[in-house]
Amino acid sequence: MTTAEPLDALSGPLADALICLALALAALMATAVVLTRRTVRQAIVLSGYGLVLGLLFLILQAPDVAMSQIGVGTVLLPLIVVLALHATRRHRDTTGREDANREDGKEARR
């Protein structure tokens, strides 16, 4: 009686092609994140990059890492970036108004 090799879901040329495709897509998305100029759009592209990395981890049979990556890289990190940008812009706008009001007050005293 011979023992059969266990079937590996990720073996053969088709699986290798799928891994290469996922790696190429991850590299493409990473380049897109770096080349995106506007910060809000960059956060959106970063979310897509997190999703692609999650799919890559799923293809590489790491579902726990994939779930963490999708949760953190696709949702949480871009959300934090967008909220930080919003807070920074709001602070900059209020600071700019206060500076303008101070200068108007100085000119009125003269």
Side-chain angles (χ1 to χ4, degrees):
M1 188 165 146
T2 61
T3 59
E5 296 260 340
L7 292 176
D8 187 13
L10 206 61
S11 62
L14 189 58
D16 292 341
L18 183 63
I19 292 172
C20 288
L21 179 69
L23 286 170
L25 188 58
L28 181 72
M29 288 299 294
T31 305
V33 170
V34 172
L35 295 178
T36 303
R37 295 282 185 183
R38 298 192 60 206
T39 50
V40 175
R41 287 185 184 170
Q42 192 174 33
I44 294 169
V45 175
L46 180 64
S47 178
Y49 177 61
L51 185 64
V52 167
L53 281 181
L55 291 174
L56 176 64
F57 291 139
L58 194 62
I59 290 169
L60 294 175
Q61 298 179 353
D64 51 342
V65 179
M67 286 175 52
S68 298
Q69 174 61 36
I70 289 172
V72 173
T74 303
V75 178
L76 195 61
L77 181 64
L79 179 65
I80 290 172
V81 169
V82 168
L83 290 175
L85 287 171
H86 178 70
T88 303
R89 288 179 180 163
R90 190 176 65 201
H91 177 70
R92 184 180 59 200
D93 290 344
T94 59
T95 304
R97 285 188 207 131
E98 289 173 1
D99 290 342
N101 289 339
R102 285 184 199 151
E103 293 201 9
D104 288 342
K106 286 180 184 177
E107 290 178 9
R109 288 183 204 160
R110 291 181 186 175

